[in-house]
Every structure is written in structure tokens, then in C-alpha cells.
Amino acid sequence: MITRKEIEQIAMLARLEFSDSEMGRFTEQFNRMVEFVGKLQTVETQGVEPTSHAVPLKTPYREDKTGPCLNPQEVMNVAPDAVQNFFRVPKVIE
Amino acid sequence: MNYEPVIGLEVHAQLKTETKAFCSCPTRFGAQPNTQICPVCLGLPGTLPVLNRRMVEFAIRTALAFHGEISKDSVFARKNYFYPDLPKGYQISQYDRPLAVGGYLDIETKVPSPPRGEGQGEGATRRIRLVRIHMEEDAGKLIHEGIPGSEGSSFVDYNRAGVPLIEIVSEPDLRSPEEAGSYLRLLRSVVQYLDVCDGNMEEGSLRCDANVSVRPEGSEKYGTKVEVKNMNSFKSVEAAIQYEIDRQIQAIAAGERIVQETRLWDADPQKTFSMRSKEEAHDYRYFPEPDLIPVMVDAAWIEKVQGGLPELPDAKRRRFVEALELSHYDASVLVSSKSIADFFEKTIAIYNKPKMASNWILSELLRYLHEEGRGIEQSRVTPQLLAEMLRMIGDGALSGKMAKEIFKEVYQTGASAVSIVEKKGLKQVTDESAIAQVIDQVLAKHPDKVQDYKAGKEKLFGFFVGEVMKATRGQANPQKLNTLLKTKLSS
């Protein structure tokens, strides 16, 4: 059972803000989704290797050789805010 | 009541690769801000990470050196959090399937602490178990001041974002700040021997967080742990842990409850402070990184890396003690840094007198280097120069006393001992007739003292030695002088 409190927590983590009625609606919808996916719980998985990827691939590796980087001036030109080739953000410590 | 500290360390080591973990940007330290960035490490839409093979190899090498078990298919995961140093909004790390699990380090300790470990006293070791070693990428660097118009702003340099790291997590097996220091020093020396990390704590290529708790002596249950961060030297790691132990014991004694939290070490007042901004409990929502498939490491690769492992400090120290008959202490200091051990081994490869070489390196060379704040890599004395001087001592061409003077000059100028001796005309007098002549002169000058000596005042022997040395400017071979003087005085 997904509670409204959990929905609030998820919204907070995703940096999303919702109205009161939306919260209520999402709580109900989340519960329906979890119930639907819950059908999977009935499948017997004893002894089955966990899958973290659906496609069997061999790890593609990159050799440790340097390549070109971006020109910092060009990057700063399109950055929301920049000073002396640093990105500028609101202060994150007091 | 007596309390026992319980300490576990989490060490991040920056791997010495040319390029970042998932893109081909260089990893050079000290580059101009934001000059080593590309769409991948900036997390621009549509980019995909491609794993650096050498990162994995370095991680395997480290895990093998610490006796860890390498996973045949480990998995990268996304660790999600919002902070400006993290361009993608998540850090690519490993979570429930790390590259390696288990392993251990045998640290030297003065504390006899069964059941794990061997012996007591000098050379006693204690086994500190590892939980895991996993791979991850570094975050960018935040700067909060020193830039004009910086009020209310922080500044981000993403050069470090995506630089490959390994995290080495210990079990809570450490029991004192000294043991934590000992563990960290050994760990650093091993990664330096492996040549996977330069181990520079000041530049941040080796970083250490400590989990510290205390419990009543004899208790099996762990106390509430506090994570201490922000130490950038061995000294500060030990000081921060000691501070935290004292703080917790005092708090418990005062009837307070220890709060599980993260605290920052501040070197200036030498205190730890609670991190106020981290009030919300973290929820990293780890999940497998869909852009990277599992890291497959086959047995052939592991075997190849294993075969390429160098001799590690432990084994080297044992060899120095057993095969070269050095004292345990001397061997430990020599192997504590790969460059010192290399210097020593190069020296004895040229002139094979290990005890002598060890003494000169430990007592003279390291002292001078320390005074100047230089590393042995920047020494003007090369193994060749030291070996040459040791050979002169061994051949009797230079007394130990003269050698100290000569060595100072070798150290300062980088000139060879042979050339300095020649220039100064300091060659040791080993010619017996020349020494005998000086002895005769000295005895003739002090007939009264000779008489006193013969009457039983044997302490005067030192006086005669001193006079002969003075007359020869310290160049008489001491053994020959002693023998000749004894013969002459007893005749």
C-alpha cells in the first residue's frame, strides 16, 4: 500500500510540486500501478539469476587514450550563468 | 567505565589513468577550470558512457593486492542526488554488485589484539578485513570564495567530474586512531607500489572518511556510529578520530545519546562539526545504470593482472628482514614508501652492504631531505653516489666520521664522494708508517702523560687518540691507530 506521505516524498526527491487534489489522485494511481505490477510476484523465481540487462552483450571497453575536450569559452557562452570559466550556481553552503 | 573505540574507514583512491572513467577527457590535476570537459562528463542529453578498460584493470589490481574476491560480472548503478558538483544528477557507482568483496590488510600494531593477527610487540600484525572495493566516478569541484562578485554564489569546475575512483571499505575492525593511521599508511603505500594511485592526500587523490563509534569495553554490540569527513592528511585523520572518540565518550558520560550523523573535521579549531545541511535522510534511489552493461571480468584477465603484481610492501619488508638481515624497524621505514625502497635496492645493487646502505639512507639522507621538505625522488644524492661513498668506507679509504662530512657535501652539491675527497685532500691515512710517525710525535710531546698511562691511568688512551686525530685532521684510520698506539704504549 502506497501512502500519500510516500507520494509527497517521491515528489520532493524529483523536485516536483503538486496541488492537493493531484497528490490524492496520484496516490490512488500509484496504488493501481503497484497492484498491476504485483502480478509478477506470483511468478516462481527460485534459482533464477537476477537480470540487470535484457540484452546479452559483451562489455564494450574504451582504451585509455585522451580525446578532444570542449572549448570552455563556447561552453560558458551557452551556460545559464558563468564567471571566469566557472559555472556559477546559487551558494550551496552557508 | 572504560570505552572501546570502533572504527571503520572508507577510502577513495583516484586512479592514475590518462582519461576519465566514461569519456576520453584527460584527468590531469591542476588544469585551468573547465578545460577537461566534454558532453559525456557534463551529462548533456543524448550522450552515453563508455567504460575505460584501464580503470577496471587498476581496480582489479588493487583488489587482488588486498586479497579480495573479484566478481565475474559486477554492475554499475546510479546513485541519485542533487548537488551542483554532479552534472547528471546521479553518480555512476556500484551498489549491490561491486567489483570485489572481502579481502584484508595486515597492519602493524602495538596493541596485542587477538583473535586475528600474529604475535605481539615489534612486528606484530593485526588483520583488518575489507568489506568491498568498488568503482565509481568522481564529482566536480565547488569553489565558494576567492572569485570577484562571489557573494551568494558557488562556482563549479567539472574537470574532476568523471575521474575514476575506487572506494575501499573496511570492516569496523580498527580500535584506535593510531591503528587507523597505520591502516591508511599501509593502504597508501600499497596503491603506490601498484602504481594505480599517487596517494596524495593534500591534492585529494586519496581521501578518507571515518565511521567512529564507542562501546563499553567487553561489549559485543556496536554503538551508534558517526561519519567524519573532510580530513586531508594522515595527521588530521588521526586527530579527527581521537576528537570524535573523546566527544562521544564525554557525551555518553553526561547521559546524552549519540546521534547518527555526518560531521566535518575542521583543522583550525581541531574539532568536528555537525553538517547541518544534511538534515533530510538520504535516499539515493540506487538502480542499475541502464547505459552500461555488466562489467565482465574473465579468469584469464584476472590471472594476467595477478601475474603482473609487483612485490608489495609486506613481502618486501619480510625479505629485507630475512634475507638482508635488517632490523624490523629499519625494514619497515624503508618499505613505507616505494621510492625509498627503490632507492635502497638500487644502492645495494651497486654496492651490496644492505645494513650500511640502510643506516645511511635512514639516518643521514632522510634527515637532510626532511629538513628541506624534499622527497627522495628529488634527492641530488643518487643511489650511484651513495654506493660509491659506501664503497670508500668499506675499503677503508674513508672513516665513518669523515664520511658524514663528505656526505653532507654530496647531498648539497650532487658531486661524487671521490671528487670531494680529492679536492679536500681528505683521504684517510691507512699507511701504517705514516700513522706511526704521528703517534711518535704525539708521545714525545707528552712524556708526563705517557708515564701516567703506564702507571695505570688507562683513561688517557682516548687523549692520545684525540691528539693523533687532531694532528692528522681526523684522517687516520681508527682501527690501525688503535692497534699501533696500543703496541707503542706497551713497549
Side-chain angles (χ1 to χ4, degrees):
Chain A
M1 180 69 185
I2 305 281
T3 63
R4 187 188 165 103
K5 219 169 157 187
E6 281 170 297
I7 301 297
E8 280 166 10
Q9 165 79 355
I10 291 163
M12 196 275 295
L13 288 169
R15 301 296 187 267
L16 295 172
E17 220 168 19
F18 296 110
S19 70
D20 221 40
S21 66
E22 281 174 319
M23 284 289 185
R25 198 162 82 238
F26 292 156
T27 308
E28 192 210 311
Q29 288 174 347
F30 259 72
N31 272 307
R32 265 192 276 140
M33 282 186 255
V34 170
E35 200 185 301
F36 175 71
V37 177
K39 282 182 190 158
L40 286 174
Q41 300 288 5
T42 59
V43 180
E44 176 58 47
T45 57
Q46 199 75 31
V48 178
E49 277 279 299
T51 309
S52 57
H53 266 267
V55 190
L57 283 172
K58 265 197 95 176
T59 325
Y61 287 110
R62 182 173 55 75
E63 289 311 313
D64 189 25
K65 290 213 171 66
T66 54
C69 297
L70 291 169
N71 178 327
Q73 275 80 41
E74 283 172 33
V75 176
M76 297 307 150
N77 285 342
V78 293
D81 194 3
V83 177
Q84 294 179 9
N85 285 355
F86 285 102
F87 295 96
R88 175 150 77 174
V89 297
K91 204 166 190 79
V92 286
I93 53 158
E94 56 268 28
Chain B
M1 194 191 296
N2 282 332
Y3 288 92
E4 177 186 54
V6 174
I7 305 151
L9 296 185
E10 289 172 16
V11 176
H12 286 91
Q14 208 175 82
L15 298 176
K16 268 170 80 177
T17 55
E18 292 290 317
T19 65
K20 293 188 178 180
F22 305 110
C23 64
S24 52
C25 286
T27 54
R28 202 162 44 85
F29 181 82
Q32 288 298 307
N34 292 309
T35 52
Q36 299 182 161
I37 54 173
C38 77
V40 176
C41 54
L42 281 181
L44 299 188
T47 58
L48 284 173
V50 185
L51 183 55
N52 183 341
R53 181 193 295 274
R54 187 167 288 159
M55 174 194 195
V56 183
E57 184 183 320
F58 281 2
I60 296 173
R61 198 187 287 180
T62 312
L64 288 175
F66 291 132
H67 320 280
E69 191 191 322
I70 313 283
S71 162
K72 300 225 171 340
D73 53 344
S74 68
V75 173
F76 279 106
R78 290 189 182 179
K79 177 179 179 178
N80 300 279
Y81 63 93
F82 290 105
Y83 210 62
D85 64 3
L86 199 64
K88 298 190 292 293
Y90 57 86
Q91 179 194 27
I92 303 180
S93 181
Q94 294 191 300
Y95 184 53
D96 53 356
R97 294 171 74 181
L99 179 80
V101 292
Y104 59 86
L105 277 80
D106 286 332
I107 63 162
E108 287 179 61
T109 177
K110 291 194 180 72
V111 190
S113 201
R116 294 182 299 277
E118 312 160 19
Q120 287 185 14
E122 199 187 41
T125 60
R126 211 156 77 73
R127 181 155 293 181
I128 307 304
R129 295 164 303 156
L130 298 182
V131 178
R132 59 191 274 154
I133 296 179
H134 73 245
M135 301 181 282
E136 62 186 28
E137 59 175 342
D138 210 343
K141 205 169 108 191
L142 282 167
I143 293 156
H144 305 289
E145 49 206 32
I147 292 162
S150 63
E151 298 78 34
S153 298
S154 293
F155 301 88
V156 202
D157 173 6
Y158 286 127
N159 282 348
R160 209 180 58 187
V163 166
L165 302 176
I166 45 173
E167 181 173 335
I168 303 166
V169 184
S170 87
E171 294 280 0
D173 284 352
L174 298 156
R175 292 291 173 270
S176 69
E178 295 73 37
E179 280 193 0
S182 177
Y183 168 91
L184 197 56
R185 283 188 185 88
L186 176 60
L187 189 152
R188 179 175 79 151
S189 114
V190 172
V191 294
Q192 286 175 333
Y193 273 76
L194 295 171
D195 208 21
V196 299
C197 170
D198 65 24
N200 189 328
M201 290 193 75
E202 283 74 24
E203 285 180 6
S205 54
L206 194 74
R207 306 196 277 271
C208 176
D209 302 337
N211 288 308
V212 182
S213 65
V214 298
R215 63 183 175 190
E217 223 163 58
S219 161
E220 286 290 309
K221 229 181 96 205
Y222 292 132
T224 306
K225 72 175 178 191
V226 166
E227 189 179 11
V228 190
K229 289 173 177 278
N230 203 33
M231 295 87 82
N232 65 353
S233 68
F234 290 106
K235 248 196 206 143
S236 62
V237 169
E238 291 179 11
I241 292 173
Q242 186 62 58
Y243 177 85
E244 194 50 33
I245 292 167
D246 294 342
R247 186 189 71 84
Q248 292 184 19
I249 291 174
Q250 272 172 28
I252 293 170
E256 292 168 31
R257 222 169 43 96
I258 303 298
V259 186
Q260 182 161 352
E261 60 176 348
T262 300
R263 296 176 72 90
L264 290 184
W265 172 246
D266 195 333
D268 190 10
Q270 297 269 307
K271 283 183 165 133
T272 63
F273 288 97
S274 185
M275 264 177 87
R276 276 162 298 176
S277 53
K278 291 223 168 174
E279 273 155 24
E280 299 154 14
H282 272 301
D283 183 351
Y284 291 126
R285 293 156 290 145
Y286 280 100
F287 62 87
E289 163 62 275
D291 289 344
L292 288 163
I293 65 164
V295 185
M296 308 298 253
V297 179
D298 58 22
W301 195 8
I302 295 175
E303 211 169 289
K304 194 169 158 231
V305 176
Q306 179 88 56
L309 287 184
E311 183 184 36
L312 294 172
D314 244 15
K316 207 182 268 290
R317 191 188 63 220
R318 242 174 286 132
R319 179 165 62 82
F320 284 0
V321 170
E322 283 159 23
L324 304 180
E325 297 180 334
L326 298 185
S327 78
H328 185 86
Y329 176 80
D330 290 356
S332 296
V333 181
L334 286 175
V335 305
S336 66
S337 132
K338 182 171 185 288
S339 22
I340 298 174
D342 284 348
F343 191 102
F344 169 72
E345 295 202 86
K346 279 184 198 148
T347 306
I348 62 170
I350 303 168
Y351 183 66
N352 192 12
K353 287 277 184 330
K355 184 70 200 155
M356 197 177 178
S358 157
N359 284 344
W360 279 86
I361 291 170
L362 297 181
S363 59
E364 300 294 314
L365 179 57
L366 289 187
R367 179 165 58 89
Y368 284 128
L369 288 169
H370 188 74
E371 278 169 9
E372 261 195 289
R374 268 172 190 262
I376 201 163
E377 306 88 345
Q378 293 116 35
S379 168
R380 281 172 297 255
V381 180
T382 59
Q384 177 71 43
L385 286 173
L386 177 61
E388 208 172 90
M389 192 192 80
L390 298 181
R391 191 186 302 275
M392 290 177 79
I393 302 172
D395 292 349
L398 208 55
S399 72
K401 203 168 159 202
M402 284 156 69
K404 283 202 177 164
E405 215 175 295
I406 301 289
F407 183 78
K408 196 170 174 182
E409 224 171 301
V410 177
Y411 177 81
Q412 281 162 351
T413 62
S416 78
V418 175
S419 71
I420 294 168
V421 166
E422 262 167 27
K423 197 182 75 198
K424 291 196 155 183
L426 266 179
K427 214 156 182 120
Q428 185 166 132
V429 181
T430 49
D431 175 7
E432 291 197 15
S433 65
I435 298 174
Q437 211 181 333
V438 181
I439 293 177
D440 286 341
Q441 285 165 8
V442 167
L443 297 186
K445 227 163 116 189
H446 303 282
D448 47 332
K449 294 217 164 71
V450 174
Q451 226 160 32
D452 288 351
Y453 177 85
K454 287 187 172 168
K457 254 184 119 175
E458 288 188 5
K459 267 200 273 177
L460 281 167
F461 191 81
F463 166 79
F464 296 123
V465 171
E467 288 298 299
V468 175
M469 280 297 186
K470 225 188 277 171
T472 59
R473 289 165 62 214
Q475 293 173 53
N477 178 299
Q479 286 84 31
K480 291 214 165 116
L481 165 57
N482 272 336
T483 331
L484 283 171
L485 187 60
K486 252 180 215 152
T487 328
K488 296 231 175 222
L489 282 171
S490 58
S491 64

